[in-house]
Amino acid sequence: MKQAPWSRAFIRFEMPVSNTWKVIGSYETPDGVTLFDSLSDGRDIFRIISDIGAKLRQAASSPDREVIVILVSVDSNFDYKLDFESQDENRWKITKLEMQPVCRRVSIN
């Protein structure tokens, strides 16, 4: 069986208010961590993730607790985990640390 070219992936959906959202993601390979790119990886996937993220936020929120960040973690076996945050909109932030020609390095807090 051929090994997947990536080991883990993360997609972070942030929606601090009901009409504003942001999606960013990254994946790990033997060469490092790379950000998903909406131009080369496809804008459709980001639209789909935004739609799903808004529905997940609505389903996971309550009058007492509004979800503002969702982190999806998945490994190359497609085992996944969903984490929800309702207080810290900077939780699990995915950011660029440096730009390299082949791989964009990121940190996942």
Side-chain angles (χ1 to χ4, degrees), residues 22-93:
K22 177 178 170 183
V23 176
I24 189 166
S26 64
Y27 57 95
E28 296 176 353
T29 68
D31 296 326
V33 179
T34 303
L35 287 176
F36 288 109
D37 183 344
S38 63
L39 296 178
S40 64
D41 296 321
R43 291 184 181 153
D44 287 342
I45 189 73
F46 286 90
R47 182 185 51 75
I48 292 167
I49 292 167
S50 294
D51 291 345
I52 293 169
K55 290 175 185 171
L56 273 174
R57 178 184 184 260
Q58 182 180 15
S61 294
S62 70
D64 300 338
R65 179 178 175 259
E66 185 171 60
V67 171
I68 55 175
V69 178
I70 302 168
L71 181 70
V72 179
S73 308
V74 62
D75 66 21
S76 59
N77 294 320
F78 295 102
D79 294 322
Y80 66 92
K81 179 182 174 190
L82 298 174
D83 290 296
F84 300 89
E85 175 61 35
S86 61
Q87 301 204 359
D88 181 5
E89 70 182 67
N90 293 311
R91 184 115 188 238
W92 311 303
K93 201 120 181 139

